[in-house]
Amino acid sequence: MKTTGKDIDFREARDIMLDAAEAVEIERILLENCTGRILAQDLVAAENVPAFDRSPYDGYAFRAKDAAEASYENPITLKILEEVAAGAVPTKVVTEGTAVKILTGAPIPQGADVVVMYEKTTFTEKEVILTEPVKNGENIVRAGEDIRLGDVLAERGTVIDCGIAGTLASQGDFYPQVYRRPRIGLISTGNEVVDSKEQIPAGKIRNTNRYLLAAEVLRNGCEPIYLGRAGDSINEIKELLEKGLQTCDALLLTGGVSVGDYDLTPTAMEQSGIHILVQGVGMKPGMACAYGEKDGKTVYGLSGNPASALTGFYAVVMPVLRKLAGRKEYIPQEIVVTLADDFTKASRCTRLLRGRLDISDGTAKIRISGKQGNVVISSAIGCDVLAIVPAGSGPLNAGTELKGILL
């Protein structure tokens, strides 16, 4: 069933499209190539880290009870049995009256139950003198103190960061399971659009949407595939749609989704067998749109105006691409933001304002990024938050609190 009309909330449109999408397949890749990829397995500890009790300092390992009576007035002298460096294994057993010289990271020798750092001792090559008591177990990093066998360290659907990469390495998993990067086809439409890097002909415009959306597709863990530009022709649009449906996991089109004589994208989608699920969303910018699905692949017809296309992407498309990529948390976080500037326009329908998050004074403020018109690209520079202006709002003063979407 197609959902249409200006009263359709962008969240409803987003949820309809989320229901139509599933994560892509799983693959294994080398750990050094995994940063930013999505974990496709629960990361469960297969071994303790550290694997053995070890010393956090350069110092001496001995029995705590041997120093129980130590003081400046009553120094205790212990015989040094050997020196154990990090990576070495102790060969001596600590017994009454003895100690082992131990370096940072080295295993605790058998019989020892405490470590004291060099700075708190007096020592020679053969003896160490203690002048204060120490507690049993002091200054020992226990096996499993960082990670214990069986701990769930990260869940499937988590973005692999330096912590997960290091933890995978600590578990000996150098070929983890990740989700394949979804291939997202990009199609530009319109006779007025050109990809010329030279002087553009009169009446034409450069194809900014191709690069605008490719950057966001990449940022959200997917691979952008530019399929080409179609003129104002149903057959040309169909040809690129059919090509994309064969080779990509989802498609983004820009242009031709309004109600003019040359707005042919919805018709081309339907003639390509794409079931349109949403046509028109009650938000500004980005009201004109056509979203559909065929054979488990979602297709997004976005406005040709850059700011409108980008807002539609953030509000509806981005969560779906994150789901395709395998993310567990794919809906962007919403927070309360305060307008740092006046916004002088009334908003008959829901409006999404592009801006930058400012927390310099300890509160979450949005600084509106310049002009907010449908064709304005520059307001996307540095944009990391959208403020949601409710339908029916009048002009808003600085200090007004709004819901915000973190990008």
Side-chain angles (χ1 to χ4, degrees), residues 93-207:
V93 177
V94 173
T95 57
E96 182 178 356
T98 65
V100 166
K101 182 179 180 181
I102 192 169
L103 302 183
T104 302
I108 303 298
Q110 183 180 348
D113 55 24
V114 71
V115 172
V116 66
M117 61 183 67
Y118 284 146
E119 294 87 340
K120 294 186 175 182
T121 68
T122 301
F123 55 87
T124 66
E125 289 187 5
K126 295 183 178 181
E127 295 178 331
V128 57
I129 300 172
L130 309 173
T131 55
E132 58 184 72
V134 287
K135 295 179 181 179
N136 185 296
E138 192 169 341
N139 296 329
I140 293 178
V141 178
R142 295 297 182 184
E145 186 169 313
D146 181 8
I147 297 170
R148 285 195 171 276
L149 173 67
D151 284 351
V152 178
L153 306 171
E155 294 183 342
R156 179 187 185 119
T158 306
V159 179
I160 297 176
D161 58 11
C162 63
I164 291 179
T167 302
L168 284 164
S170 78
Q171 297 296 302
D173 191 348
F174 296 96
Y175 204 54
Q177 293 185 83
V178 299
Y179 288 98
R180 174 177 61 80
R181 287 189 186 275
R183 292 166 54 89
I184 311 301
L186 304 179
I187 298 172
S188 304
T189 72
N191 291 335
E192 76 281 12
V193 176
V194 295
D195 281 305
S196 174
K197 297 177 183 178
E198 310 300 330
Q199 185 68 35
I200 61 174
K204 305 291 186 180
I205 59 173
R206 286 196 175 92
N207 188 0

Side-chain angles (χ1 to χ4, degrees), residues 126-384:
K126 295 183 178 181
E127 295 178 331
V128 57
I129 300 172
L130 309 173
T131 55
E132 58 184 72
V134 287
K135 295 179 181 179
N136 185 296
E138 192 169 341
N139 296 329
I140 293 178
V141 178
R142 295 297 182 184
E145 186 169 313
D146 181 8
I147 297 170
R148 285 195 171 276
L149 173 67
D151 284 351
V152 178
L153 306 171
E155 294 183 342
R156 179 187 185 119
T158 306
V159 179
I160 297 176
D161 58 11
C162 63
I164 291 179
T167 302
L168 284 164
S170 78
Q171 297 296 302
D173 191 348
F174 296 96
Y175 204 54
Q177 293 185 83
V178 299
Y179 288 98
R180 174 177 61 80
R181 287 189 186 275
R183 292 166 54 89
I184 311 301
L186 304 179
I187 298 172
S188 304
T189 72
N191 291 335
E192 76 281 12
V193 176
V194 295
D195 281 305
S196 174
K197 297 177 183 178
E198 310 300 330
Q199 185 68 35
I200 61 174
K204 305 291 186 180
I205 59 173
R206 286 196 175 92
N207 188 0
T208 57
N209 285 335
R210 167 186 175 183
Y211 301 95
L212 184 80
L213 294 177
E216 278 298 331
V217 167
L218 274 172
R219 190 176 71 87
N220 284 280
C222 302
E223 179 184 0
I225 307 294
Y226 184 57
L227 297 171
R229 182 191 65 83
D232 294 318
S233 161
I234 290 176
N235 287 335
E236 289 183 21
I237 299 171
K238 282 177 56 181
E239 183 179 345
L240 292 179
L241 281 170
E242 289 164 4
K243 174 183 176 183
L245 288 168
Q246 292 176 2
T247 59
C248 299
D249 301 296
L251 302 178
L252 302 182
L253 298 84
T254 52
V257 291
S258 191
V259 292
D261 292 342
Y262 294 97
D263 292 307
L264 308 174
T265 295
T267 301
M269 289 171 64
E270 290 179 325
Q271 290 188 13
S272 299
I274 296 165
H275 178 210
I276 294 182
L277 301 173
V278 176
Q279 190 164 2
V281 174
M283 70 176 185
K284 185 177 177 61
M287 183 178 294
C289 62
Y291 305 144
E293 177 272 338
K294 181 180 180 181
D295 298 332
K297 297 184 178 183
T298 51
V299 180
Y300 304 87
L302 300 168
S303 171
N305 292 321
S308 297
L310 189 59
T311 304
F313 180 91
Y314 285 146
V316 177
V317 183
M318 183 174 73
V320 187
L321 297 194
R322 290 180 175 182
K323 182 179 181 181
L324 281 179
R327 287 200 193 193
K328 178 184 176 184
E329 303 292 340
Y330 42 77
I331 296 177
Q333 182 181 358
E334 289 192 8
I335 62 171
V336 175
V337 294
T338 301
L339 285 179
D341 317 283
D342 293 337
F343 184 70
T344 59
K345 290 185 178 181
S347 302
R348 288 182 294 177
C349 66
T350 301
R351 186 190 297 271
L352 300 182
L353 297 176
R354 302 176 294 284
R356 301 181 186 184
L357 187 64
D358 180 355
I359 56 173
S360 58
D361 66 354
T363 62
K365 294 182 178 179
I366 179 173
R367 296 199 175 276
I368 299 172
S369 302
K371 298 178 180 179
Q372 297 285 311
N374 292 353
V375 299
V376 177
I377 305 172
S378 59
S379 63
I381 297 173
C383 176
D384 56 5

